[in-house]
Amino acid sequence: MNLTDTKDKEILHSILSTIDEGIHAVDAKGVTIFYNHVAAKLDGVEGEEVLGKHVLDVFPSLTVETSTLLKVIHTKQPIHNQHQSYHNIRGVLIDTVNTTLPIMVNGEIVGAVEIAKDLTKIKQLSEKLLDLQAKVEPGISQPHPAKGESGAKYQLIDIITNDLSFKQLKEKAAKVAQTSSPILVYGETGTGKELFVQAIHNASPRRSAPFIAQNCAAIPSSLLEGILFGTSKGSYTGATDRPGLFEIANGGTLFLDEINSMPLDIQAKLLRVLENGLIRRVGGTKENPVNVRIIAAMNEPAEKCIEEKTLRSDLYFRLNVVNLNIPPLRERKGDIALLAEHFIRKYNFQFGKLVTQISDDVLDLFQDYSWPGNVRELEHAIESAMNIMDGHTISIEHVPQHIAGSGGTSNRVHLKPLREALMETERNLITEALRKTDGNIQQAAKLLNIPRQTLQYKLTKINAEN
Ligand SMILES: Nc1ncnc2c1ncn2[C@@H]1O[C@H](COP(=O)(O)OP(=O)(O)OP(=O)(O)O)[C@@H](O)[C@H]1O
Ligand SMILES: [Mg+2]
């Protein structure tokens, strides 16, 4: 064996031993050649018990047909993202998502490797969440739940604006609240999507029925289907009968946030529910009618999502029957001062302070700033300032540095240390060059007329500062 081979092997071994996924590799006969400690933990065995032995000898509950490793050796076809729920040798219920791949050398199968992602904790958490939601949302069976008990706390009057087109948007929201058509809400992060969605629910005839919100990006895609539609006993080993969010939200509103993170096959299933009003639990045979208003939201434009194939166009057309496009804060600058005052009142109350005004140069700065985080960012800026100030007036030194240093273009003369200013200019130029070249360092360096290595070095430095 040559030296680099051994070294490569060592490196590979230590990488595979430290990652968070379980890894189990067998040779063409089914004898284990690699087994990391995560895999051992999932299976409830010691690594030594498995290494060098045939899988069927170590895991007596498996057969040639049920072992995915042996199956892949037989078929030479990979199996991707298969959800498995099983009791391991120690009786512990384990949930994993497995990918099993054939190992081919010169067209010959020499073994197979299985990569298992542990979802046990996430699954337990999501089920706990479902149980809790089922408990606090007894559905329409409860005669008159108190106001606000539905899970939505905001009303339309909580949406603060002085902007004419934003006021029209509020009027539109009040109107569409009366029907049950699906709604698609689009707005950049922090523009108030959730605020609008909750307010619509509370202005609707469904106000005393459940309001359930689910962020589609927050749950591993392999679990999302069961969470939304429920599961039926036996749909996979270990699955129990449980209702999904559609059933829990029955009579009310289901808010699907970041719908473009929902896997496309689940989007297709959602479209069917929207079309026929029937849901079928995962693994179930019966279809049950549900009466749920769907509101979906995204913080990226639909056209972009369709083009990038994260949103099905047929689902988009169905959802977009009613749409609400919430403009970013920089397009309604008239609201900045009004919202700032609103948040000052809020934090005066929370912090027991008596802030009464914002200095003119801060207001100028706020007008010039682009607010990429929109209203949420403005709220955080006020909260942050009110944490560190003592007097009655918010002035420049209380404003978070990334806003204060953003360099507005108004008549303010805002001096800062030369070194800092130069570095900031450099950072902005680099960001701009990378944006123009889609992140291509070689081309960006050319644009900036500096060697690629220099740009690389500067980038490393910038990243270290952040
Ligand atoms: N017009 C408004 N009036 C008062 N508060 C607002 C307004 N718009 C947004 N907010 C507040 O800003 C914060 C962010 O709003 P929200 O959570 O609805 O944003 P979002 O669009 O859902 O953001 P994300 O895409 O990041 O989820 C909340 O605290 C909300 O109460
Ligand atoms: Mg939101």
Side-chain angles (χ1 to χ4, degrees), residues 14 16 36 43 57 59 92 110 123 125 156-157 199 229 263 277 279 283 326 345 359 399 419 456:
S14 40
L16 294 178
N36 74 355
D43 292 331
D57 292 338
F59 303 104
V92 180
V110 296
K123 175 108 187 298
L125 277 174
L156 282 166
I157 51 160
F229 304 104
I279 65 137
I326 308 186
R345 271 194 300 277
S359 73
V399 176
R419 213 176 94 85
Q456 193 90 53

Side-chain angles (χ1 to χ4, degrees), residues 344 347-348 351-357 382-399:
I344 289 176
Y347 290 101
N348 267 340
F351 299 163
K353 294 209 172 185
L354 290 168
V355 175
T356 50
Q357 55 176 337
I382 300 288
E383 180 182 356
S384 157
M386 288 178 62
N387 260 283
I388 53 172
M389 60 185 289
D390 293 314
H392 300 295
T393 306
I394 298 183
S395 39
I396 286 284
E397 65 268 25
H398 306 128
V399 176

Side-chain angles (χ1 to χ4, degrees), residues 200-222:
I200 288 173
H201 173 81
N202 280 331
S204 79
R206 297 170 178 264
R207 70 181 68 88
S208 37
F211 172 84
I212 304 281
Q214 177 63 56
N215 187 316
C216 301
I219 300 259
S221 48
S222 54

Side-chain angles (χ1 to χ4, degrees), residues 153-154 157-161 166 170 185-198 215 255 257-258 297-299 326 332 335 339 342-343 346-347 373-380:
K153 61 177 185 185
Y154 292 114
I157 51 160
D158 296 319
I159 303 177
I160 295 190
T161 187
F166 211 78
K170 275 176 71 173
V185 184
Y186 162 69
E188 290 177 13
T189 180
T191 45
K193 293 185 291 297
E194 172 112 30
L195 197 62
F196 263 96
V197 174
Q198 290 195 13
N215 187 316
F255 171 35
D257 205 355
E258 300 201 40
M298 304 192 300
N299 53 23
I326 308 186
R332 46 187 171 104
D335 276 348
L339 282 164
H342 165 72
F343 293 127
K346 174 173 168 184
Y347 290 101
N374 294 293
V375 184
R376 182 186 293 111
E377 187 181 7
L378 175 60
E379 174 167 2
H380 288 167

